[in-house]
Amino acid sequence: MKKTSTRLADGRELVYYDLRDDTVRDAVDRRPLERTVTTSEIRQDPLLGDSVAIASHRQGRTYHPPANECPLCPSQGERLSEIPDSSYDVVVFENRFPSLAGDSGRCEVVCFTSDHNASFAELTEEQVGLVLDAWTDRTSELSHLPSVDQVFCFENRGAEIGVTLGHPHGQIYAYPFTTPRTALMLRSLATHKEATGGENLFDAVLERELAGERVVLEGEHWVAFVPYAAHWPYEVHLYPKRRVPDLLGLDEAARTEFPQLYLELLRRFDRIFGEGEPPTPYIAAWHQAPFGTLDEFDGVSRDDFALHLELFTIRRTSGKLKFLAGSESGMNVFINDVPPERAAERLREVASS
């Protein structure tokens, strides 16, 4: 992998990740852009204790542009985009309309390929390996920023999810705090560790799932399963078998095997609802240990956390979506219409091409 860092016309950082070491990236952003001005602010809810990002400047962000005006395609001639060069393998840049900025963290866009009409599932294993390298490098770089406590790499796929740019891409949020979902996991880790005399909860969950009926895919270094208490109709968790706290902890063997298993999983997701159905909308979310202090979680260290990816769709059956209505949105109590065992069975029986 070759990494080349540059700056866009308004001062935002852009990083090329290339498969070839001899690739030269010297294109200049020719757009007449002014410095980006953001109004991002973090406010804490006094009753719930969680944090909310207030970012009114995002109202003006790019919304469903035609393909020939996509800001994530490479620049061609006088059609200038966010990527100055005329081609790229993988590129990461600071979001022009970030939810988090400055002392409130940072948001980045990850473009998986220059092919506007592709999807992550259509990438080669070599391309996915490069994306994994980019996620890992960005996790390392962002973790050193003084305003960053936790790094979250994710992909939203599909208009049903709320994606406003059709180009295959993901995002990275670097939060200035430990996110509520991660804090819940850390509290459960601490409680279980104390109650069992030191047993790791992630290890216990993984051991139970490996022995059960909800495993979807298994390799030498990774396993994918539908969790016992899945929140979503089709939800799969992908774990490395050797517990590591973050992407930086993966060894070469796990990094090599990941593209094969992840591509197979995404291709099966596209076949859940049968031939002729539109692509399955999904969210793919990496869960990594925070980089800040864990003092509030008694007896838990970063090494107790288990890196994993959670992949889920909001489609519950053909032509029908799972909406977060009263119970889910009002009380955060999910109701799942698809038994996890049936979801795992369905994901095992669909063959990818």
Side-chain angles (χ1 to χ4, degrees):
M1 178 192 78
K2 181 181 180 181
K3 175 183 175 182
T4 307
S5 180
T6 185
R7 292 282 172 180
L8 297 174
D10 56 6
R12 288 176 293 133
E13 184 180 18
L14 180 143
V15 185
Y16 294 100
Y17 294 90
D18 287 294
L19 291 167
R20 292 174 56 98
D21 290 336
D22 60 352
T23 304
V24 177
R25 298 295 184 187
D26 55 7
V28 176
D29 186 4
R30 294 181 284 127
R31 297 173 297 170
L33 297 180
E34 296 182 356
R35 286 273 176 177
T36 300
V37 177
T38 64
T39 57
S40 181
E41 176 189 358
I42 302 296
R43 298 184 182 180
Q44 189 171 52
D45 187 310
L47 296 179
L48 298 179
D50 58 4
S51 298
V52 178
I54 309 297
S56 60
H57 61 276
R58 284 174 52 80
Q59 287 282 33
R61 66 188 183 274
T62 308
Y63 186 80
H64 292 298
N68 63 352
E69 296 179 15
C70 175
L72 306 185
C73 289
S75 294
Q76 299 289 339
E78 294 306 309
R79 193 191 71 77
L80 306 178
S81 73
E82 289 280 66
I83 296 91
D85 216 326
S86 59
S87 67
Y88 63 83
D89 291 337
V90 173
V91 69
V92 179
F93 60 89
E94 288 184 75
N95 198 321
R96 191 176 177 186
F97 304 96
S99 303
L100 309 166
D103 293 340
S104 297
R106 176 158 154 154
C107 293
E108 298 183 338
V109 177
V110 184
C111 298
F112 303 135
T113 172
S114 60
D115 185 353
H116 180 85
N117 298 311
S119 69
F120 200 112
E122 294 171 323
L123 300 180
T124 65
E125 291 185 18
E126 186 180 36
Q127 287 175 301
V128 175
L130 184 60
V131 173
L132 179 61
D133 287 342
W135 281 331
T136 305
D137 181 71
R138 297 318 302 159
T139 295
S140 176
E141 292 289 333
L142 293 171
S143 71
H144 290 97
L145 295 180
S147 63
V148 172
D149 199 59
Q150 185 173 356
V151 179
F152 175 47
C153 308
F154 65 99
E155 180 193 3
N156 296 330
R157 193 269 192 108
E160 300 93 330
I161 298 292
V163 175
T164 57
L165 295 175
H167 197 104
H169 72 288
Q171 299 181 67
I172 302 175
Y173 277 23
Y175 298 100
F177 50 79
T178 297
T179 61
R181 189 174 177 86
T182 302
L184 286 174
M185 294 183 193
L186 292 169
R187 292 189 188 100
S188 296
L189 265 176
T191 299
H192 185 85
K193 191 173 185 178
E194 182 179 6
T196 60
E199 183 182 64
N200 183 279
L201 180 57
F202 282 113
D203 292 350
V205 167
L206 191 58
E207 182 180 356
R208 182 178 70 175
E209 295 293 357
L210 279 167
E213 59 181 316
R214 290 180 295 274
V215 172
V216 175
L217 286 170
E218 183 178 357
E220 183 178 355
H221 304 284
W222 294 84
V223 60
F225 57 87
V226 178
Y228 170 74
H231 289 58
W232 299 94
Y234 290 91
E235 174 182 340
V236 177
H237 293 188
L238 180 61
Y239 276 71
K241 291 183 177 178
R242 182 179 70 87
R243 172 164 46 90
V244 295
D246 51 43
L247 290 165
L248 286 78
L250 293 174
D251 60 23
E252 194 58 37
R255 301 182 72 83
T256 300
E257 186 181 76
F258 171 78
Q260 177 185 353
L261 261 70
Y262 189 46
L263 285 171
E264 173 67 15
L265 195 56
L266 290 180
R267 291 163 184 167
R268 291 193 186 197
F269 252 59
D270 270 343
R271 294 176 175 268
I272 295 173
F273 304 105
E275 296 288 346
E277 286 291 316
T280 301
Y282 65 74
I283 293 175
W286 281 108
H287 290 260
Q288 306 191 79
F291 288 93
T293 178
L294 300 182
D295 291 346
E296 64 180 291
F297 308 103
D298 293 340
V300 171
S301 70
R302 291 193 78 250
D303 289 338
D304 289 319
F305 196 87
L307 167 77
H308 63 285
L309 183 143
E310 297 186 6
L311 173 70
F312 61 90
T313 179
I314 62 171
R315 187 179 292 165
R316 57 187 174 88
T317 190
S318 179
K320 297 179 181 179
L321 301 180
K322 164 65 177 176
F323 292 103
L324 300 189
S327 184
E328 292 88 353
S329 294
M331 283 292 154
N332 200 27
V333 177
F334 276 68
I335 300 170
N336 189 353
D337 300 326
V338 180
E341 293 72 23
R342 174 54 190 147
E345 181 182 14
R346 177 60 181 159
L347 284 163
R348 285 193 300 268
E349 68 188 16
V350 293
S352 67
S353 59

